[in-house]
Amino acid sequence: MENVIELQHVTKSFKGFQVKDLSISVKKGFVTGFIGGNGAGKSTTIKLIMNLLKQDSGSISVFGLTHDTDERAIKERIGFVYDENIFYENLTLKDMKKIIRPAYKKWNDAMFHKYVDQFELPLGKKIKTFSKGMKMKASLAIALSHQAELIIMDEPTSGLDPVFRRELLNILHELMQDGDKTIFFSTHITTDLDRIADYIIFVNNGEHVFTKEFYKIQEDYAIVKGPLDLLDADTEREFVAVQKSNIGFEALTAYKDRVADLFGEAVVLEKPTLEDIMYYTEKGRCLNV
Amino acid sequence: MQILISNSSKEPIYEQITTQIKKQILTGDLQEGQALPSMRQLAKDLQISVITTKRAYEELEKNGFIYSIVGKGSFVSEQNTEMIKERKMKVIEEKLLEAIQNSRDMGIGLAELKEMLTLLYSEDE
Amino acid sequence: MFNLIWKDLFIQKKLILLYLAIIGLYFWLGTPLFWLAFITSISFIMNAFYYDEKDNINILLNSLPYTRKQIVTSKYIGAIIFTALFIGVIAGGSFIINGMESPFSWKGVLQTFGLVMAWISLIFPFFYKFKQQYLVIGGIIFFVIAMLSFKAVIHLLKERFGEVVQWFIGLSDLQLYSSASLVILLLYGGSWLLSMRIYERKVF
C-alpha cells in the first residue's frame, strides 16, 4: 500500500526534548490518528512534516517527494489546520481568503463558500472576534477548498463543542468517499478516533510506540484485573504497567491472548480505551527509567 | 441492507458486520449478484472507520459470500444451494430450540407446542 | 511571489489614509521630499514586517506553497516597489501643491532609494534573526532617530567630517551618485543573501 507520508529514522533535538529515531508512515486513502500525551512530540512531528522545522537527521518524504527539491509541489497538495491562530487578527475571513487564494493553483471558491455557509462563519468580521472553534473552522474551510490530497491537522477538535466535533467527523467521512484522500491528525480527545480512524500512530516521549489498525489495538491490548497474589516478577513482565491497590491489581497487557492463556479464569479481561493505553504506557515508562 | 452495530458489544465491529451480512445472504434478503454499498459508503453510514468495513468485506470474500470487481464494487456471490439448505436448516433448528427453551421456561408441554406450531404453520399458508 | 508583495499592501489598506495624512503633515512642516519618502516607505515596510511577526503569519506562509527563498525575496523586492510607490505619491502631491517650483528631483529619488535600501540592508537580517519584541524596540528607535536626527546628522557631518564631506563635494554628482549606488546595491544584495540564509534555518 502506498505511503503518503514517510519518516525514516528522524531525529530532532531541542533543549530538554527530543524526537528519537522516529520512523512512521501514513497510508494513502485512510485516516490516521496521531496520539500521545502533552510533550510526546506530536506537534513537532507535524511541523517536521510541514517543513516548519528541519530534522537533525533522517529523511522525510511526502507524496514520495522531499522538501529539499519539491517543497511547493508538496504544499500545493496539503490542507493544514493548526492548533494556534495563523491568520491576521485584524483582517476579516474574506480578506484572509483573498491573501491565501492566489497561493494555490487549484483554489475552488464555490467549495470555500459552501464550507463557510455550512460552518456559519461570518466573512466580514475580524478574525480576532472569532472563538477558538471558529478559527479552527475557518482553517478547515481553507484547508478543504484547494482540492488537497492530504489533510494534516494538529489537535483540530480541541476547541470544538461536541456537536461540531460530530459534524467534523461527517465532513471527514464525506471526504474519504474518494479513496485518494488521506487524513492525518493529532488529537488527545481519543473518542473522536473511534468513529473515523483507520490507523493509530502512538508516540510517547518522542518515541514511536506503535502504528496499528484501529481494530487491531483491541485484539492485542487488554486491561487485566485480578488478585494481587497472581503477580510476581515473571508475570509482571507480561504487562506494560501494573496498578496495585488493596483489593487487587489492574494492568495493561499488549499480549491479550497470552495473558488469557496464562491466567485463565483467575482474571477479568476488558477492552482498553486509547486513554488506558496512553496512561499505562506513560506510567510504564516512568517506572522503567 | 440493514446493519446495526453496537459499540459496547464484546463482539468486534467488523464481526458484527459480517455476521449480519451473512445472515441476510442466507435468509435471502440479499440476493445473488446484488451490489453491496462500497466500503467507504458503509463506513460513512455506520460512522466507523473504512478499515473496519474493509476487514469485514475481506472476511466475507474469503468465506465466499461476496466477490469484488475492481472499480465496480462488491456483490453477493452465487451460493451453493446444498450448503445454503444446510445452513438454513441450522437456523431453523436454532429457532426451534429457542422456542422449546421458552416453552420449557413457561411449563408448556410438547403436545401443546406442536399444536401451536401446526396452527401457526397453516395460518401462514 | 507577487502575491506576497501585494499581500503586504493589502494588509495595510486601512492605514493608507493614515500614511497620506502623515505625508500631508510633513508637507506642511516643509520636510525635504526625499526624507519624507524615506520615512514613509520605511514605516510601511516595517509595519508589514511587524504584522507578519505578530500574528504567526510565518507559519501560514511556510505552510502555503511558497519557498522560504520566495518569502524573503518578496520582502526585498517589495521594499523597492513600495518605495517607488511612495516616491510617486509624494512627487504627485508635491506637484499639485507646489507646481514645478521644488519638484522631486532625480537626486532626491536616488537619495530616497539609497537610504531605504541601506536601512533595510542593515535591519532586515536582524529582523529575521530575532523575535518580535526586538522589532518593536527597533521600530521605536528608528522613529526617534528619524525625527530628531535629520538636521543634527547634517550638522555633525559638516562639523566633524568636514574634510570627508569636502572630498565628497569635490566629486562630481555623477561620480558621487554612481559610486554610492554601486555600494548600496552590493550591500542590498549581500543583505538579501544573508537574510535568506538566516530564514532558511529558522524554526517555527
Side-chain angles (χ1 to χ4, degrees), chain C residues 58-155:
Chain C
N58 282 302
I59 294 180
L60 172 68
L61 297 181
N62 278 283
S63 302
L64 293 172
Y66 294 118
T67 63
R68 295 191 178 201
K69 281 196 176 76
Q70 285 177 312
I71 293 167
V72 173
T73 300
S74 78
K75 289 283 183 209
Y76 276 82
I77 293 179
I80 293 174
I81 291 175
F82 294 134
T83 307
L85 274 176
F86 275 102
I87 288 172
V89 168
I90 289 166
S94 163
F95 180 75
I96 290 165
I97 295 170
N98 303 324
M100 284 307 285
E101 255 173 56
S102 54
F104 210 137
S105 65
W106 67 271
K107 276 190 205 168
V109 169
L110 282 181
Q111 282 162 359
T112 301
F113 272 119
L115 285 170
V116 168
M117 288 166 78
W119 176 265
I120 282 174
S121 303
L122 297 175
I123 214 76
F124 266 17
F126 286 100
F127 279 8
Y128 278 118
K129 185 85 192 165
F130 300 109
K131 291 254 168 211
Q132 187 190 329
Q133 59 265 36
Y134 299 102
L135 269 175
V136 178
I137 297 166
I140 292 167
I141 292 173
F142 168 76
F143 260 102
V144 173
I145 292 174
M147 291 295 191
L148 299 176
S149 66
F150 178 62
K151 286 196 174 136
V153 168
I154 301 291
H155 189 68

Side-chain angles (χ1 to χ4, degrees), chain A residues 268-284:
Chain A
V268 179
L269 295 184
E270 279 178 354
K271 268 191 194 176
T273 62
L274 287 172
E275 271 172 40
D276 291 330
I277 293 172
M278 284 162 70
Y279 169 73
Y280 280 102
T281 305
E282 175 66 25
K283 195 173 147 84

Side-chain angles (χ1 to χ4, degrees), chain B residues 11 15 19 21 24 47 60 66 71 86 89 92 103-105 111-112 114 123:
Chain B
E11 196 185 7
E15 247 177 63
T19 317
I21 292 181
Q24 289 177 46
Q47 289 266 312
L60 287 168
I66 63 169
E86 213 171 279
M89 282 305 288
I92 295 168
S103 309
R104 279 189 179 140
D105 289 351
E112 202 178 337
K114 268 185 181 166
E123 209 175 63

